[in-house]
Structures are given as structure tokens and as C-alpha cells.
Amino acid sequence: MNDRLGSINKAIEAIENGAQEYQIGSRRIRRADLKTLYDERRTILSEISATETCSTRVAVFDTR
């Protein structure tokens, strides 16, 4: 999951630095939409947070 997050962060950084679309020879390359990348990053961070913050609750019932 951290590999995916790293890849997404690199793609976001590249787009924010002006590399949304570029051309090499006759090939034109366009990166993913920035909003899509932000949404995916938010999803991954939520998944990481959910796995790291595990909480356990104990209920004690008094049988008096």
C-alpha cells in the first residue's frame, strides 16, 4: 500500500510542477487527472489509518 502511495505522490508532484502532459517524439503522454490522484491518495491514507488505529472495547456485564 505504501508503494502505491509513493507512486501517487510522485505523480501528483510531477503534475503540480507542470508535467501534466508532455511529448516524446511523436508520442504524447498525459498523466492522470489531478483530482483523481488526490481522491485515490485520500482513499489510501484512509485505509492506512484504519489498519493502524485498531481499537478494542471490552464490555463487562454485572450479573448481580
Side-chain angles (χ1 to χ4, degrees):
M1 196 170 319
N2 287 329
D3 292 339
R4 279 181 36 212
L5 182 59
S7 295
I8 288 173
N9 283 333
K10 285 180 187 177
I12 288 171
E13 182 179 355
I15 292 170
E16 290 176 339
N17 290 325
Q20 174 72 39
E21 185 174 342
Y22 55 96
Q23 188 168 339
I24 300 173
S26 62
R27 295 188 63 191
R28 180 169 293 229
I29 298 163
R30 180 168 175 81
R31 295 189 190 273
D33 180 59
L34 194 55
K35 181 188 178 319
T36 303
L37 291 171
Y38 284 143
D39 290 345
E40 183 64 18
R41 180 171 66 180
R42 191 174 306 112
T43 300
I44 292 171
L45 289 172
S46 292
E47 290 172 4
I48 290 172
S49 178
T51 60
E52 290 178 352
T53 56
C54 180
S55 62
T56 303
R57 297 178 189 242
V58 177
V60 178
F61 298 98
D62 190 5
T63 57
R64 289 189 260 174

Coordinates of all heavy atoms in Angstrom, one line a residue:
M1 N 0.8 -1.2 0.0 CA 0.0 0.0 0.0 C 0.9 1.3 0.0 O 0.5 2.2 -0.7 CB -0.9 0.0 1.2 CG -2.1 1.0 1.1 SD -3.4 0.9 2.3 CE -3.7 -0.9 2.5
N2 N 2.0 1.2 0.7 CA 2.9 2.4 0.8 C 3.5 2.6 -0.6 O 3.9 3.7 -0.9 CB 3.9 2.2 1.9 CG 3.3 2.4 3.3 OD1 2.4 3.1 3.4 ND2 3.9 1.7 4.2
D3 N 3.7 1.5 -1.4 CA 4.3 1.7 -2.7 C 3.3 2.5 -3.6 O 3.7 3.4 -4.3 CB 4.6 0.3 -3.3 CG 5.7 -0.4 -2.7 OD1 6.5 0.3 -2.0 OD2 5.8 -1.6 -2.8
R4 N 2.0 2.1 -3.5 CA 1.0 2.8 -4.3 C 1.0 4.3 -3.9 O 0.9 5.2 -4.7 CB -0.4 2.2 -4.0 CG -0.6 1.0 -4.9 CD -2.0 0.4 -4.7 NE -3.1 1.3 -4.4 CZ -4.1 1.0 -3.7 NH1 -4.2 -0.1 -3.1 NH2 -5.1 1.9 -3.5
L5 N 1.0 4.5 -2.5 CA 1.0 5.9 -2.0 C 2.2 6.7 -2.6 O 2.1 7.8 -3.0 CB 1.0 5.9 -0.5 CG 0.9 7.3 0.2 CD1 -0.4 8.0 -0.3 CD2 0.9 7.1 1.7
G6 N 3.4 6.1 -2.6 CA 4.6 6.8 -3.1 C 4.4 7.1 -4.6 O 4.8 8.2 -5.0
S7 N 3.9 6.2 -5.3 CA 3.7 6.4 -6.8 C 2.7 7.5 -7.0 O 2.9 8.4 -7.9 CB 3.2 5.1 -7.5 OG 4.1 4.1 -7.4
I8 N 1.6 7.5 -6.3 CA 0.6 8.6 -6.4 C 1.2 9.9 -6.0 O 1.0 10.9 -6.7 CB -0.6 8.3 -5.6 CG1 -1.4 7.1 -6.3 CG2 -1.5 9.5 -5.5 CD1 -2.5 6.6 -5.5
N9 N 2.0 10.0 -4.9 CA 2.6 11.2 -4.5 C 3.6 11.8 -5.6 O 3.6 13.0 -5.8 CB 3.3 11.1 -3.2 CG 2.3 11.1 -2.0 OD1 1.3 11.6 -2.1 ND2 2.7 10.4 -1.0
K10 N 4.3 10.9 -6.2 CA 5.3 11.3 -7.3 C 4.5 11.8 -8.5 O 4.9 12.8 -9.1 CB 6.1 10.1 -7.7 CG 7.2 9.8 -6.8 CD 8.0 8.6 -7.3 CE 9.0 8.1 -6.2 NZ 9.7 6.9 -6.6
A11 N 3.4 11.2 -8.8 CA 2.6 11.6 -10.0 C 2.0 13.0 -9.7 O 2.0 13.9 -10.5 CB 1.5 10.6 -10.3
I12 N 1.5 13.2 -8.4 CA 0.9 14.5 -8.0 C 2.0 15.6 -8.1 O 1.8 16.7 -8.6 CB 0.3 14.4 -6.6 CG1 -1.0 13.6 -6.7 CG2 0.0 15.8 -6.1 CD1 -1.6 13.2 -5.3
E13 N 3.2 15.3 -7.6 CA 4.3 16.2 -7.6 C 4.6 16.6 -9.0 O 4.9 17.8 -9.3 CB 5.5 15.7 -6.9 CG 6.6 16.6 -6.8 CD 7.8 16.0 -6.0 OE1 7.7 14.9 -5.5 OE2 8.8 16.7 -6.0
A14 N 4.7 15.6 -9.9 CA 5.1 15.9 -11.3 C 4.0 16.8 -12.0 O 4.4 17.8 -12.7 CB 5.2 14.6 -12.1
I15 N 2.8 16.6 -11.7 CA 1.7 17.4 -12.3 C 1.8 18.8 -11.7 O 1.6 19.8 -12.4 CB 0.3 16.7 -12.1 CG1 0.2 15.5 -12.9 CG2 -0.8 17.7 -12.5 CD1 -1.0 14.6 -12.6
E16 N 1.9 18.9 -10.4 CA 2.0 20.2 -9.8 C 3.2 21.0 -10.3 O 3.2 22.2 -10.2 CB 2.0 20.1 -8.3 CG 0.7 19.6 -7.7 CD 0.7 19.4 -6.2 OE1 1.8 19.2 -5.6 OE2 -0.3 19.3 -5.6
N17 N 4.2 20.3 -10.7 CA 5.4 21.0 -11.3 C 5.3 21.2 -12.8 O 6.3 21.6 -13.4 CB 6.7 20.2 -10.9 CG 7.0 20.3 -9.4 OD1 6.8 21.3 -8.8 ND2 7.5 19.2 -8.9
G18 N 4.2 21.0 -13.3 CA 3.9 21.3 -14.7 C 4.1 20.2 -15.7 O 4.2 20.4 -16.9
A19 N 4.1 19.0 -15.3 CA 4.3 17.9 -16.2 C 3.0 17.1 -16.4 O 3.0 15.8 -16.4 CB 5.4 16.9 -15.7
Q20 N 1.9 17.7 -16.5 CA 0.6 17.1 -16.8 C 0.6 16.3 -18.1 O 0.1 15.2 -18.2 CB -0.6 18.1 -16.8 CG -1.9 17.5 -17.1 CD -2.5 16.6 -16.1 OE1 -2.4 16.9 -14.9 NE2 -3.1 15.5 -16.4
E21 N 1.2 16.9 -19.1 CA 1.2 16.3 -20.4 C 2.6 16.7 -21.1 O 3.0 17.8 -20.9 CB 0.1 16.9 -21.2 CG -0.1 16.3 -22.6 CD -1.3 16.8 -23.3 OE1 -2.2 17.3 -22.7 OE2 -1.4 16.6 -24.5
Y22 N 3.1 15.7 -21.7 CA 4.4 16.0 -22.4 C 4.5 15.1 -23.7 O 3.7 14.2 -23.8 CB 5.6 15.9 -21.5 CG 5.7 14.5 -20.9 CD1 6.5 13.5 -21.4 CD2 5.1 14.3 -19.7 CE1 6.7 12.3 -20.8 CE2 5.2 13.0 -19.0 CZ 6.0 12.1 -19.6 OH 6.1 10.8 -19.0
Q23 N 5.4 15.5 -24.5 CA 5.6 14.7 -25.8 C 7.0 14.3 -26.0 O 8.0 15.0 -25.7 CB 5.2 15.6 -26.9 CG 5.1 14.9 -28.3 CD 4.4 15.8 -29.3 OE1 3.7 16.7 -29.0 NE2 4.7 15.5 -30.6
I24 N 7.2 13.0 -26.4 CA 8.5 12.5 -26.7 C 8.4 12.0 -28.1 O 7.7 11.0 -28.4 CB 8.8 11.3 -25.7 CG1 8.9 11.8 -24.3 CG2 10.2 10.7 -26.2 CD1 9.1 10.7 -23.3
G25 N 9.1 12.7 -29.0 CA 9.0 12.4 -30.4 C 7.6 12.6 -30.9 O 7.0 13.6 -30.7
S26 N 7.0 11.5 -31.4 CA 5.6 11.6 -31.9 C 4.6 11.1 -30.9 O 3.4 11.1 -31.2 CB 5.5 10.8 -33.2 OG 5.7 9.4 -33.0
R27 N 5.1 10.7 -29.7 CA 4.2 10.2 -28.7 C 3.8 11.2 -27.7 O 4.7 11.9 -27.2 CB 4.8 9.0 -28.0 CG 5.0 7.8 -28.9 CD 5.5 6.6 -28.1 NE 4.5 6.2 -27.2 CZ 4.6 5.4 -26.2 NH1 5.8 4.8 -26.0 NH2 3.6 5.1 -25.4
R28 N 2.6 11.4 -27.4 CA 2.1 12.3 -26.4 C 1.7 11.5 -25.2 O 0.9 10.6 -25.3 CB 0.9 13.1 -27.0 CG 0.4 14.1 -26.0 CD -0.5 15.1 -26.7 NE 0.3 15.8 -27.6 CZ 0.2 17.1 -27.7 NH1 -0.6 17.8 -27.0 NH2 1.0 17.8 -28.6
I29 N 2.1 12.0 -24.0 CA 1.8 11.3 -22.8 C 1.1 12.2 -21.9 O 1.5 13.4 -21.6 CB 3.1 10.7 -22.1 CG1 3.7 9.7 -23.1 CG2 2.8 10.1 -20.8 CD1 5.2 9.4 -22.8
R30 N 0.0 11.8 -21.3 CA -0.8 12.6 -20.4 C -1.0 11.8 -19.1 O -1.5 10.7 -19.1 CB -2.2 12.9 -21.0 CG -3.0 13.8 -20.1 CD -4.2 14.3 -20.9 NE -5.1 15.1 -20.0 CZ -5.0 16.3 -19.6 NH1 -3.9 17.0 -20.0 NH2 -5.8 16.9 -18.8
R31 N -0.7 12.5 -18.0 CA -0.8 11.8 -16.7 C -2.3 11.8 -16.3 O -3.1 12.6 -16.8 CB 0.0 12.5 -15.7 CG 1.5 12.4 -16.0 CD 2.3 12.9 -14.8 NE 3.7 13.1 -15.1 CZ 4.6 12.1 -14.9 NH1 4.2 11.0 -14.5 NH2 5.8 12.4 -15.2
A32 N -2.6 11.1 -15.2 CA -3.9 11.0 -14.7 C -4.4 12.4 -14.2 O -3.6 13.3 -14.0 CB -4.0 10.1 -13.5
D33 N -5.7 12.6 -14.2 CA -6.3 13.8 -13.7 C -5.9 14.1 -12.2 O -5.9 13.1 -11.4 CB -7.8 13.7 -13.8 CG -8.5 15.0 -13.4 OD1 -8.2 16.0 -13.9 OD2 -9.3 14.8 -12.4
L34 N -5.5 15.3 -11.9 CA -5.0 15.6 -10.6 C -6.1 15.3 -9.5 O -5.8 14.8 -8.4 CB -4.6 17.1 -10.5 CG -3.8 17.5 -9.3 CD1 -2.6 16.7 -9.1 CD2 -3.4 19.0 -9.4
K35 N -7.4 15.6 -9.8 CA -8.4 15.3 -8.8 C -8.5 13.8 -8.5 O -8.7 13.4 -7.4 CB -9.8 15.9 -9.3 CG -10.9 15.6 -8.3 CD -12.2 15.9 -8.9 CE -13.4 15.7 -8.0 NZ -13.4 14.4 -7.2
T36 N -8.4 13.0 -9.6 CA -8.4 11.6 -9.4 C -7.3 11.1 -8.5 O -7.5 10.2 -7.7 CB -8.3 10.9 -10.8 OG1 -9.4 11.4 -11.6 CG2 -8.4 9.4 -10.7
L37 N -6.1 11.7 -8.7 CA -5.0 11.3 -7.9 C -5.2 11.7 -6.4 O -4.9 10.9 -5.5 CB -3.7 11.9 -8.4 CG -3.2 11.3 -9.8 CD1 -2.1 12.1 -10.3 CD2 -2.8 9.9 -9.6
Y38 N -5.7 12.9 -6.2 CA -6.0 13.3 -4.9 C -7.0 12.4 -4.2 O -6.9 12.1 -3.0 CB -6.5 14.8 -4.8 CG -5.5 15.9 -5.0 CD1 -5.8 17.0 -5.8 CD2 -4.2 15.8 -4.5 CE1 -4.9 18.0 -6.0 CE2 -3.3 16.8 -4.7 CZ -3.6 17.9 -5.4 OH -2.7 18.9 -5.6
D39 N -8.1 12.1 -4.9 CA -9.1 11.2 -4.4 C -8.5 9.8 -4.0 O -8.8 9.2 -3.0 CB -10.2 11.0 -5.4 CG -11.1 12.2 -5.5 OD1 -11.0 13.2 -4.7 OD2 -11.8 12.3 -6.5
E40 N -7.7 9.3 -4.9 CA -7.0 8.0 -4.7 C -6.1 8.0 -3.4 O -6.1 7.1 -2.6 CB -6.3 7.5 -5.9 CG -5.6 6.1 -5.7 CD -6.6 5.0 -5.6 OE1 -7.8 5.2 -5.9 OE2 -6.2 3.9 -5.1
R41 N -5.3 9.1 -3.3 CA -4.4 9.3 -2.2 C -5.2 9.4 -0.9 O -4.9 8.7 0.1 CB -3.6 10.6 -2.3 CG -2.6 10.8 -1.2 CD -1.6 11.8 -1.4 NE -2.3 13.1 -1.5 CZ -1.6 14.3 -1.7 NH1 -0.3 14.2 -1.8 NH2 -2.2 15.4 -1.7
R42 N -6.4 10.1 -0.9 CA -7.2 10.2 0.3 C -7.7 8.8 0.7 O -7.8 8.4 1.8 CB -8.4 11.1 0.0 CG -9.2 11.5 1.2 CD -10.3 12.6 0.9 NE -9.7 13.7 0.3 CZ -9.9 14.1 -1.0 NH1 -10.7 13.4 -1.7 NH2 -9.4 15.2 -1.4
T43 N -8.1 8.0 -0.3 CA -8.6 6.6 -0.1 C -7.5 5.8 0.6 O -7.7 5.1 1.6 CB -9.1 6.0 -1.4 OG1 -10.2 6.8 -1.9 CG2 -9.6 4.6 -1.1
I44 N -6.3 5.8 0.0 CA -5.2 5.0 0.5 C -4.9 5.5 2.0 O -4.6 4.6 2.8 CB -4.0 5.1 -0.4 CG1 -4.3 4.4 -1.7 CG2 -2.7 4.5 0.3 CD1 -3.2 4.7 -2.8
L45 N -4.8 6.8 2.2 CA -4.5 7.3 3.6 C -5.6 6.8 4.5 O -5.2 6.5 5.7 CB -4.4 8.8 3.5 CG -3.1 9.3 2.8 CD1 -3.2 10.8 2.7 CD2 -1.9 8.9 3.6
S46 N -6.8 6.8 4.1 CA -7.9 6.3 5.0 C -7.7 4.8 5.3 O -7.9 4.4 6.5 CB -9.3 6.5 4.3 OG -9.6 7.8 4.3
E47 N -7.3 4.0 4.3 CA -7.1 2.6 4.5 C -5.9 2.4 5.5 O -6.0 1.5 6.3 CB -6.8 1.9 3.2 CG -8.0 1.8 2.3 CD -7.7 1.3 0.9 OE1 -6.5 0.9 0.6 OE2 -8.6 1.3 0.0
I48 N -4.9 3.1 5.3 CA -3.7 3.0 6.2 C -4.1 3.4 7.6 O -3.8 2.7 8.6 CB -2.5 3.9 5.7 CG1 -2.0 3.3 4.4 CG2 -1.4 4.0 6.7 CD1 -0.9 4.2 3.7
S49 N -4.8 4.5 7.7 CA -5.3 4.9 9.1 C -6.1 3.9 9.7 O -6.0 3.6 10.9 CB -6.0 6.2 8.9 OG -6.5 6.7 10.2
A50 N -7.0 3.3 9.0 CA -7.9 2.2 9.5 C -7.1 1.0 10.0 O -7.5 0.4 11.0 CB -8.9 1.8 8.5
T51 N -6.1 0.7 9.3 CA -5.3 -0.5 9.8 C -4.4 -0.2 10.9 O -4.1 -1.1 11.7 CB -4.5 -1.1 8.6 OG1 -3.6 -0.1 8.1 CG2 -5.4 -1.6 7.5
E52 N -4.0 1.1 11.1 CA -3.1 1.4 12.1 C -3.8 1.8 13.4 O -3.2 1.7 14.5 CB -2.2 2.6 11.7 CG -1.2 2.3 10.6 CD -0.4 3.4 10.2 OE1 -0.7 4.6 10.6 OE2 0.6 3.2 9.4
T53 N -5.0 2.2 13.3 CA -5.8 2.6 14.5 C -6.8 1.6 14.8 O -8.0 1.8 14.6 CB -6.4 4.0 14.4 OG1 -7.2 4.0 13.2 CG2 -5.4 5.1 14.2
C54 N -6.4 0.5 15.4 CA -7.3 -0.6 15.7 C -7.7 -0.4 17.2 O -6.9 -0.2 18.1 CB -6.7 -1.9 15.5 SG -7.7 -3.3 15.9
S55 N -9.0 -0.4 17.5 CA -9.4 -0.2 18.9 C -10.2 -1.4 19.3 O -11.0 -2.0 18.5 CB -10.2 1.1 19.0 OG -11.4 1.0 18.3
T56 N -10.0 -1.8 20.5 CA -10.8 -2.9 21.1 C -11.5 -2.4 22.3 O -11.0 -1.7 23.2 CB -9.8 -4.0 21.6 OG1 -9.0 -4.4 20.5 CG2 -10.5 -5.2 22.1
R57 N -12.7 -2.8 22.4 CA -13.6 -2.4 23.6 C -14.0 -3.7 24.3 O -14.3 -4.7 23.7 CB -14.8 -1.6 23.1 CG -14.4 -0.3 22.5 CD -15.5 0.4 22.0 NE -15.1 1.5 21.2 CZ -15.3 2.8 21.4 NH1 -16.0 3.1 22.5 NH2 -14.8 3.7 20.7
V58 N -14.1 -3.6 25.6 CA -14.5 -4.7 26.4 C -15.7 -4.3 27.2 O -15.7 -3.2 27.8 CB -13.3 -5.1 27.4 CG1 -13.8 -6.2 28.3 CG2 -12.1 -5.5 26.6
A59 N -16.7 -5.1 27.2 CA -17.9 -4.9 28.0 C -18.0 -5.8 29.1 O -17.7 -7.0 29.0 CB -19.1 -5.0 27.1
V60 N -18.2 -5.3 30.3 CA -18.4 -6.2 31.5 C -19.8 -6.0 32.0 O -20.3 -4.9 32.2 CB -17.4 -5.7 32.6 CG1 -17.6 -6.5 33.8 CG2 -16.0 -5.8 32.1
F61 N -20.5 -7.2 32.1 CA -21.9 -7.2 32.5 C -21.9 -7.7 34.0 O -21.4 -8.7 34.3 CB -22.7 -8.1 31.6 CG -22.7 -7.6 30.2 CD1 -21.9 -8.2 29.2 CD2 -23.6 -6.6 29.8 CE1 -21.9 -7.8 27.9 CE2 -23.6 -6.2 28.5 CZ -22.8 -6.8 27.5
D62 N -22.5 -6.8 34.8 CA -22.7 -7.2 36.2 C -23.9 -8.1 36.3 O -25.0 -7.7 35.9 CB -22.8 -5.9 37.0 CG -22.7 -6.2 38.5 OD1 -22.5 -7.3 38.9 OD2 -23.0 -5.2 39.3
T63 N -23.7 -9.2 36.9 CA -24.8 -10.2 37.0 C -25.5 -10.2 38.4 O -26.0 -11.2 38.8 CB -24.3 -11.6 36.6 OG1 -23.3 -12.0 37.5 CG2 -23.9 -11.7 35.2
R64 N -25.4 -9.1 39.1 CA -26.0 -9.1 40.4 C -27.4 -9.1 40.4 O -28.2 -8.7 39.7 CB -25.5 -7.9 41.2 CG -24.1 -7.9 41.6 CD -23.8 -6.8 42.5 NE -23.1 -5.8 41.7 CZ -22.8 -4.6 42.1 NH1 -23.1 -4.2 43.3 NH2 -22.2 -3.7 41.3

